[in-house]
């Protein structure tokens, strides 16, 4: 029996629970922010937080005691399918952080991973993330997640910080066109998951500068509280893409990325803003 008292990650208060003795404890590593990671606001940008999360996932598969490395043998791998990020405070220069990874909901061929960023000196929670990955076999098709992973998690519920948009872009959306360049691409030969957030963030900046949100332009420029990205198809070097953005009726800044040659949706994104 798995204790189901916690939803958002592994609740430390339940590590002594007999039902939770087999639950994977959060995997934690220290990170010190570097000057070259900061953006023009002198803080770590949102996409860098996603890269911290990715770094931790790479580290976790190198730890024999966790058993996650077995998922990446013989051509099997995981790719990011969706991502959510909730920001409480962005870290600045040379701050000591603790970044953690805990397993969340396990589906048939997908797995949620819960991340946290805390400031080391006082334990303050700076950011939370939920990353949904799909398990792929060597031919690139979804593969059932091994059963041993299901016994390592304490929740059967999925955590939603912010839902991604599902509607097509409206006719009055602001659109920019660009070409995927080689530096956008990672070792899997497609645009890295964090780079999508850079492209969406750049698009908002350009749209605001052009007055692309109309009467809502000032509102659309507020600080970002939460991000949700739904990755539907990969983009590769040389692809011509267009990124559209608009503010919806609920005050979210929404995005849709399409491949220009066929109009296929590659990704959708939503920003929730601080008031």
């Amino acid at each position: 029996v798995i204790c189901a008292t916690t939803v958002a990650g592994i609740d430390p208060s339940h590590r002594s629970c007999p039902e939770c003795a087999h639950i994977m404890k959060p995997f934690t590593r220290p990170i010190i922010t570097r000057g070259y990671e900061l953006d023009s606001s002198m803080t770590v940008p949102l996409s860098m937080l996603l890269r911290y999360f990715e770094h931790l996932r790479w580290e976790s598969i190198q730890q024999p005691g966790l058993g996650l490395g077995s998922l990446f043998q013989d051509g099997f791998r995981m790719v990011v399918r969706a991502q959510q990020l909730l920001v409480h405070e962005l870290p600045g220069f040379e701050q000591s952080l603790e970044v953690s990874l805990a397993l969340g909901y396990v589906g048939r061929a997908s797995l949620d991973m819960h991340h946290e960023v805390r400031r080391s000196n006082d334990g303050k929670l700076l950011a939370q993330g939920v990353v949904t990955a799909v398990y792929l076999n060597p031919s690139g098709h979804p593969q059932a997640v091994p059963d041993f992973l299901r016994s390592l998690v304490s929740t059967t519920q999925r955590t939603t910080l912010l839902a991604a948009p599902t509607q097509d872009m409206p006719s009055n959306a602001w659109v920019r066109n660009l070409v995927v360049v080689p530096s956008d691409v990672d070792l899997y030969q497609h645009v890295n998951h964090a780079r999508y957030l850079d492209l969406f963030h750049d698009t908002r900046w350009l749209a605001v500068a052009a007055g692309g949100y109309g009467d809502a332009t000032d509102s659309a420029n507020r600080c970002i509280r939460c991000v949700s990205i739904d990755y539907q198809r990969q983009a590769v070097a040389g692809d011509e893409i267009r990124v559209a953005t608009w503010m919806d009726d609920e005050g979210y800044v929404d995005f849709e990325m399409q491949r220009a040659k066929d109009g296929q949706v590659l990704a959708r994104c939503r920003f929730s803003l601080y008031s």
Side-chain angles (χ1 to χ4, degrees):
V1 179
I2 296 177
C3 174
T5 54
T6 174
V7 174
I10 306 301
D11 187 341
S13 67
H14 288 270
R15 290 178 195 163
S16 60
C17 172
E19 297 174 353
C20 290
H22 59 293
I23 301 301
M24 191 188 102
K25 295 180 180 179
F27 174 70
T28 304
R29 283 290 183 268
I31 286 180
I32 297 178
T33 62
R34 298 170 174 85
Y36 59 76
E37 296 173 338
L38 309 186
D39 63 12
S40 59
S41 70
M42 299 295 292
T43 58
V44 171
L46 304 182
S47 60
M48 186 57 65
L49 295 178
L50 299 188
R51 293 180 175 101
Y52 289 166
F53 296 162
E54 180 182 7
H55 171 70
L56 205 66
R57 296 194 295 275
W58 280 108
E59 288 239 335
S60 71
I61 66 178
Q62 305 300 319
Q63 306 300 313
L66 297 180
L68 299 181
S70 63
L71 299 174
F72 295 85
Q73 295 176 352
D74 303 320
F76 288 84
R77 60 191 177 98
M78 281 191 164
V79 295
V80 175
R81 175 63 178 80
Q83 198 152 202
Q84 304 167 69
L85 174 66
L86 173 61
V87 179
H88 303 286
E89 180 183 321
L90 289 172
F93 173 61
E94 211 167 36
Q95 285 197 1
S96 180
L97 309 175
E98 295 289 334
V99 185
S100 67
L101 161 67
L103 298 182
Y105 170 83
V106 180
R108 191 195 71 83
S110 66
L111 169 68
D112 284 359
M113 290 165 282
H114 297 172
H115 291 281
E116 289 186 350
V117 179
R118 292 183 179 271
R119 196 160 52 210
S120 299
N121 62 358
D122 59 4
K124 182 178 180 180
L125 181 63
L126 302 183
Q128 299 164 261
V130 178
V131 178
T132 300
V134 174
Y135 192 42
L136 302 179
N137 61 27
S139 62
H141 294 97
Q143 174 76 21
V145 174
D147 286 338
F148 83 88
L149 278 180
R150 303 177 198 280
S151 67
L152 298 179
V153 302
S154 62
T155 179
T156 58
Q157 301 182 53
R158 186 154 248 160
T159 297
T160 301
L161 304 175
L162 176 67
T166 57
Q167 75 277 17
D168 295 332
M169 67 176 181
S171 58
N172 62 343
W174 190 88
V175 181
R176 74 165 176 136
N177 297 291
L178 63 147
V179 176
V180 176
V181 296
S183 59
D184 293 327
V185 174
D186 62 16
L187 76 169
Y188 291 125
Q189 306 304 311
H190 59 204
V191 175
N192 182 262
H193 65 91
R195 183 63 180 141
Y196 282 81
L197 184 50
D198 287 326
L199 297 176
F200 291 132
H201 199 278
D202 290 346
T203 298
R204 184 183 71 144
W205 189 94
L206 293 168
V208 166
Y213 297 102
D215 294 340
T217 294
D218 289 341
S219 298
N221 200 32
R222 298 196 303 264
C223 291
I224 299 169
R225 177 179 182 272
C226 198
V227 170
S228 183
I229 308 176
D230 176 32
Y231 305 92
Q232 299 189 17
R233 295 174 180 83
Q234 68 178 359
V236 299
D239 277 350
E240 295 183 12
I241 61 176
R242 51 177 171 258
V243 185
T245 184
W246 64 96
M247 179 172 274
D248 70 11
D249 295 337
E250 298 180 77
Y252 296 118
V253 176
D254 289 346
F255 303 85
E256 182 176 282
M257 180 185 293
Q258 296 181 357
R259 193 163 48 216
K261 68 179 181 181
D262 56 13
Q264 289 285 337
V265 175
L266 304 179
R268 289 192 172 102
C269 177
R270 169 167 285 171
F271 290 174
S272 168
L273 308 175
Y274 280 102
S275 57

